Amino acid sequence: MPTAPRPTAPAPAPLPPAAPSLTERRKAETQLEIARAAAALFAERGSAVTADDIARSAGVALRTFYRYFRTKEDAVAPLLAVGVRQWLADLRRMAAEADGRSVRDVLERAARQALTPSDERAAEALRWTRGLLRAMRDDPALRSVWHRVHHDSEEALIPVLAGLTDGGPAEVRLAAAAANTAMRVAVETWAAEGEEEGEGEGEGEAGDPAELVGRGMRALTAGLSGLDRRRTAERHA
């Protein structure tokens, strides 16, 4: 005899990601300390820096350095990646808070904030990045790290934008490429122009990477109409 279908039990809510273990946190902290030391030395001395110099400056043994990094240039990657993670976190937070703002506007605001230091440590990290960019002109291996970090940044940005805009896959990838390029070009231009004009911090666009990224973001995303709309709840379903 037919019976009424039984109600389906709701699917359990996904568990939150596990917090990093103490060992993982210590490893990340050690990597970041080495990265800060490497960035400061590269900014000061350029490609003449050695892995031993970095290890001594960071207060670790050379064997510890090579446990974490394959080359001296790889050591700067964690510091550059911190900025990327902060930008993506700011983008998610601003998107959640924004009432009626377009994705384009949220992207620009998050990018501007990422290049506007909130404290002295952030300002110092931005100065180190500028020094690294200047050292890269004579160091192809260091340039390779910079471009690898930006490639990873672009890939990480794709799922974030896919959850915000109702554009198709191609437009989402184009938006991620445009936003990432705007960030990269802004910092590179700021570093180069600041050097040519005797630093000039705080004077015009050469001293303001946030202004540069805002202008670049608007120019590079101008033809992407999907960034003018927010993805609706129905499209998420």
Side-chain angles (χ1 to χ4, degrees):
M1 181 173 88
T3 59
R6 296 182 179 180
T8 303
L15 296 174
S21 68
L22 179 60
T23 299
E24 290 171 330
R25 292 198 302 272
R26 285 177 174 168
K27 178 180 178 180
E29 289 167 2
T30 300
Q31 287 178 316
L32 192 53
E33 285 304 313
I34 295 173
R36 290 189 180 109
L41 288 172
F42 273 116
E44 179 184 347
R45 306 180 195 172
S47 59
V49 172
T50 66
D52 189 54
D53 293 333
I54 297 170
R56 283 190 284 107
S57 179
V60 300
L62 187 59
R63 67 177 179 274
T64 300
F65 175 91
Y66 281 117
R67 187 183 307 152
Y68 293 119
F69 304 107
R70 187 173 57 86
T71 68
K72 63 181 184 179
E73 292 84 7
D74 285 339
V76 304
L79 182 67
L80 299 175
V82 164
V84 171
R85 288 195 297 270
Q86 186 59 53
W87 175 36
L88 295 179
D90 288 343
L91 178 58
R92 292 188 187 95
R93 177 180 55 78
M94 289 182 179
E97 295 172 353
D99 293 327
R101 290 184 181 272
S102 68
V103 179
R104 189 192 317 280
D105 184 46
V106 174
L107 255 179
E108 182 180 336
R109 290 175 63 223
R112 282 179 174 272
Q113 180 163 307
L115 296 183
T116 303
S118 58
D119 54 32
E120 181 51 35
R121 170 160 277 197
E124 185 177 46
L126 200 53
R127 289 194 293 270
W128 285 338
T129 300
R130 179 176 57 195
L132 285 171
L133 284 165
R134 293 173 182 175
M136 285 174 199
R137 288 174 303 191
D138 303 315
D139 193 330
L142 204 54
R143 281 201 305 274
S144 177
V145 173
W146 172 251
H147 289 295
R148 186 176 75 234
V149 168
H150 273 279
H151 174 269
D152 293 346
S153 169
E154 183 176 320
E155 291 297 310
L157 187 55
I158 289 170
V160 178
L161 290 177
L164 297 177
T165 175
D166 65 358
E171 189 167 33
V172 168
R173 293 192 70 90
L174 282 170
N180 186 68
T181 299
M183 289 286 282
R184 178 179 58 78
V185 170
V187 178
E188 291 175 349
T189 302
W190 168 69
E193 290 186 0
E195 184 176 33
E196 293 167 4
E197 299 178 12
E199 304 304 331
E201 289 190 48
E203 298 178 6
E205 289 188 348
D208 189 356
E211 179 59 31
L212 283 167
V213 77
R215 186 157 60 91
M217 194 76 73
R218 291 191 298 274
L220 292 176
T221 64
L224 300 174
S225 60
L227 296 183
D228 294 323
R229 303 180 298 275
R230 295 290 294 273
R231 193 173 186 183
T232 63
E234 289 76 14
R235 292 292 295 273
H236 276 294

